[in-house]
Amino acid sequence: MSMEHINLNQIKEENLMNKRRKIDDETSKALINYSYLEPDFMKALSESFCKKKELVFDNGAKIISDPFTCCVLPNFLQPKDFTRGLLEEIEEVEVDVKHGHFHQFKQSKDLSISKEKNISLLKDLFYGKLLKWIKQITNIRLTDKVDISCSCYTYTDNLLCHNDELEERRIAYVYYLVPEWEEEYGGRLDLFNAVNGEPSKIVTSFIPKWNNLIFFEVSPVSFHQVSEIISYKARISISGWFYGPPLKKAIRPPETILFQPPIYLPIDLEQWINPVYLQVDSQTLIRDSFEDSSEIELFGFFQADKYEEICRILMSDNIVWKQQGPLNRRNYEVMGKMEELPEILKDLQTFFQSESFLFFLSNMTGLSLHPAATKENVQMAGINSSIRKWSPGSYALLHDQSFLDFPILNVALCFNCIDWQLEHGGFTTYVARSDLDKLLRVDPKPNTLAMIYITEDTTSYVKYINCQANERSNPCFHDIFTIYREEE
């Protein structure tokens, strides 16, 4: 008869671990509003979420289905001394300022590294009981991976339209630790409907509210944003993602740039251009500089009377502007068809699309835009030109089709931008494909022609124009933006 050896120390350790697990589980239960753990509630919530059916519960919880399924859980955590203690610890967490093409706010590193008491309890909750609870509600096979960080949005901070579709993100969430919040403060969580797979307009908005948890399933059409903070309040939240098997990524139709041939009409450049830039010596110096750096700004480019007349006409209430989207890529306005424009604006577009100006650009840049300006056997460049209006809320973002398959020359001239400040936004930033490092920033400057040559490995975005621009007598500015493509 053999005798089984028993390790008493091992038994004690296992009993201690089991006891700790039980305590941790009970602690997690104590942190979640008990009404959300009731089996009948969980069953009804899961059914509503999975079937995308709108429902409001007696405890204040609700499922909304338009524009996509989203769950709102008020008074999510308890007791009150825990949430107050959590906020006190969060306010002491070190945050980094995040500045990018589609966002500006402050964010911490992952909170899983924090040793603070209440943050650690929250972390254990999210990695344990809440993860299990979310799995049951959504019926999604989530993994153990969870992202959790805190964010702070203050005056002019924002997070523009996007869908969170990245890697294996399956559930996005935000938990609010804000004071009493009013709609006029900004900072709403806005949800967009989708038309042909692209965001169209805001359908549902949530005003941040203390101790509210909101979550939704990430999908190709889960477009949302955090609207700009327009008060001096701090919007503090904890947010992140639960991860799972990746969804099939949406394939979006390619955007095409339509290039037109030049306009063959007689244009008297002397009536438009500052005579300094028509001198051969000046053009030689400009060309040498451009060939060295691939960019240059020409100040006082137009004749003053022409420039001032265009500025005045662009401010007219009679001009029809059309909003450009989709909103996960751009949000600004463009002028309508050329035949609908006032005469001076027709002349402006004709000028930038003319064969005469193309010849001028070839001489100034050394690019093969006009066969008469080069010894090479080339065709006339293709041209795409538009007159744009930039107002508070306008932007142009980087996206998956930002980089072109061919080099181009960007030429821009701004109007009505006297005293435009850097902090307003509206500047154009050029970045490299490899790491999106900033290569060049071009600010709106009055009567200044900006010429930038970009290769297949370079692109640009226009920074969001924030509410500070409203402090100007004229909160908007205009530009004519023209792309020239060398044709072989």
Side-chain angles (χ1 to χ4, degrees):
M1 180 177 180
S2 62
M3 182 177 292
E4 183 178 357
H5 293 279
I6 299 176
N7 188 326
L8 295 179
N9 288 331
Q10 182 178 350
I11 292 176
K12 287 180 181 179
E13 183 67 26
E14 288 177 354
N15 288 338
L16 181 60
M17 290 296 293
N18 289 332
K19 185 176 181 181
R20 285 175 179 169
R21 289 192 190 100
K22 184 176 181 181
I23 292 173
D24 288 344
D25 191 51
E26 291 302 317
T27 301
S28 296
K29 286 182 179 178
L31 291 177
I32 297 179
N33 185 326
Y34 71 90
S35 69
Y36 297 146
L37 302 177
E38 292 289 339
D40 289 345
F41 169 80
M42 291 179 61
K43 180 180 179 181
L45 187 71
S46 177
E47 181 180 348
S48 177
F49 187 92
C50 295
K51 292 184 177 180
K52 307 182 188 304
K53 182 175 66 175
E54 295 204 353
L55 194 61
V56 179
F57 295 84
D58 292 340
N59 58 12
K62 63 181 177 180
I63 298 290
I64 66 105
S65 61
D66 188 19
F68 49 84
T69 307
C70 184
C71 180
V72 182
L73 300 170
N75 301 312
F76 182 66
L77 297 181
Q78 56 186 17
K80 290 182 179 179
D81 58 348
F82 168 74
T83 54
R84 285 194 294 264
L86 177 63
L87 176 60
E88 290 174 1
E89 292 177 3
I90 289 294
E91 288 177 329
E92 297 301 318
V93 171
E94 183 178 344
V95 293
D96 299 318
V97 177
K98 302 289 184 180
H99 277 292
H101 66 105
F102 79 107
H103 62 271
Q104 174 186 302
F105 60 95
K106 278 71 68 179
Q107 186 178 46
S108 73
K109 293 181 172 59
D110 197 289
L111 292 177
S112 61
I113 63 175
S114 175
K115 304 298 183 184
E116 297 296 329
K117 174 187 173 183
N118 292 299
I119 293 177
S120 295
L121 284 173
L122 185 77
K123 173 190 65 178
D124 293 342
L125 172 69
F126 275 64
Y127 278 88
K129 184 67 179 179
L130 182 58
L131 173 59
K132 181 180 177 182
W133 188 89
I134 291 285
K135 286 181 181 179
Q136 290 179 271
I137 299 303
T138 64
N139 200 27
I140 297 173
R141 292 184 297 109
L142 301 174
T143 65
D144 292 336
K145 182 179 179 181
V146 181
D147 281 348
I148 176 171
S149 63
C150 70
S151 301
C152 179
Y153 290 73
T154 54
Y155 185 56
T156 73
D157 285 349
N158 60 83
L159 177 62
L160 300 178
C161 181
H162 64 292
N163 63 3
D164 273 350
E165 190 182 24
L166 185 67
E167 299 170 344
E168 298 175 345
R169 294 174 180 174
R170 293 302 306 274
I171 296 291
Y173 69 87
V174 57
Y175 172 70
Y176 293 113
L177 288 168
V178 295
E180 189 171 333
W181 199 266
E182 302 293 339
E183 184 173 4
E184 57 263 29
Y185 298 165
R188 302 180 313 272
L189 174 60
D190 295 326
L191 310 185
F192 295 82
N193 71 336
V195 177
N196 297 323
E198 301 287 8
S200 176
K201 63 180 180 179
I202 296 170
V203 172
T204 300
S205 294
F206 298 106
I207 299 172
K209 189 173 182 180
W210 172 265
N211 199 17
N212 269 24
L213 177 74
I214 297 177
F215 68 86
F216 56 84
E217 184 176 1
V218 175
S219 77
V221 295
S222 57
F223 293 108
H224 60 285
Q225 71 173 14
V226 176
S227 66
E228 180 186 357
I229 304 293
I230 53 178
S231 74
Y232 289 94
K233 303 284 186 178
R235 178 192 186 273
I236 298 174
S237 64
I238 294 170
S239 59
W241 300 271
F242 294 95
Y243 288 76
L247 295 173
K248 186 176 181 180
K249 196 165 184 178
I251 299 176
R252 307 194 186 281
E255 288 190 329
T256 56
I257 300 176
L258 299 178
F259 289 96
Q260 303 292 336
I263 296 174
Y264 292 91
L265 289 176
I267 299 291
D268 187 354
L269 298 184
E270 293 182 356
Q271 291 186 6
W272 287 83
I273 299 175
N274 185 329
V276 171
Y277 297 122
L278 297 175
Q279 297 173 6
V280 175
D281 290 346
S282 296
Q283 292 186 7
T284 301
L285 291 173
I286 291 168
R287 178 169 176 163
D288 290 343
S289 177
F290 185 86
E291 288 178 339
D292 284 341
S293 61
S294 298
E295 57 90 12
I296 197 167
E297 290 181 306
L298 306 181
F299 304 101
F301 182 72
F302 270 171
Q303 298 275 12
D305 57 341
K306 283 282 189 187
Y307 182 79
E308 290 168 5
E309 182 183 3
I310 293 169
C311 285
R312 180 177 57 81
I313 294 297
L314 284 170
M315 293 301 298
S316 169
D317 293 333
N318 298 325
I319 296 176
V320 176
W321 298 94
K322 297 180 180 179
Q323 190 267 336
Q324 296 294 291
L327 295 171
N328 59 330
R329 299 186 180 187
R330 61 189 66 86
N331 183 28
Y332 55 82
E333 295 172 284
V334 298
M335 199 168 284
K337 298 178 181 178
M338 186 181 291
E339 56 267 22
E340 300 171 352
L341 302 181
E343 285 302 317
I344 186 65
L345 298 184
K346 289 181 183 178
D347 293 343
L348 176 66
Q349 283 212 320
T350 299
F351 173 86
F352 276 93
Q353 298 177 59
S354 69
E355 180 262 346
S356 300
F357 187 62
L358 206 56
F359 182 80
F360 172 85
L361 284 178
S362 292
N363 286 331
M364 298 285 268
T365 63
L367 298 175
S368 301
L369 305 175
H370 193 297
T374 177
K375 296 179 181 179
E376 301 175 14
N377 184 21
V378 298
Q379 299 180 20
M380 290 286 189
I383 304 170
N384 179 282
S385 186
S386 61
I387 298 175
R388 308 182 296 185
K389 180 180 180 181
W390 299 91
S391 311
S394 295
Y395 55 84
L397 306 180
L398 300 178
H399 53 86
D400 55 2
Q401 297 181 36
S402 289
F403 293 91
L404 302 177
D405 296 329
F406 45 84
I408 55 174
L409 174 67
N410 285 354
V411 177
L413 183 66
C414 291
F415 304 89
N416 297 310
C417 58
I418 294 176
D419 297 327
W420 190 267
Q421 302 298 316
L422 176 63
E423 56 265 27
H424 298 160
F427 50 84
T428 301
T429 299
Y430 287 83
V431 297
R433 182 194 294 267
S434 56
D435 49 16
L436 299 184
D437 272 356
K438 183 175 78 172
L439 303 174
L440 174 70
R441 191 189 77 218
V442 180
D443 300 333
K445 299 185 183 78
N447 201 8
T448 300
L449 188 78
M451 299 190 295
I452 301 95
Y453 182 74
I454 65 174
T455 67
E456 298 90 331
D457 293 319
T458 310
T459 192
S460 65
Y461 66 88
V462 179
K463 186 64 175 176
Y464 175 86
I465 298 177
N466 61 49
C467 63
Q468 293 182 94
N470 287 315
E471 298 171 6
R472 300 176 73 238
S473 58
N474 171 29
C476 66
F477 72 89
H478 308 84
D479 70 2
I480 181 164
F481 181 72
T482 310
I483 301 171
Y484 300 90
R485 179 184 181 182
E486 295 173 293
E487 302 285 359
E488 297 180 356

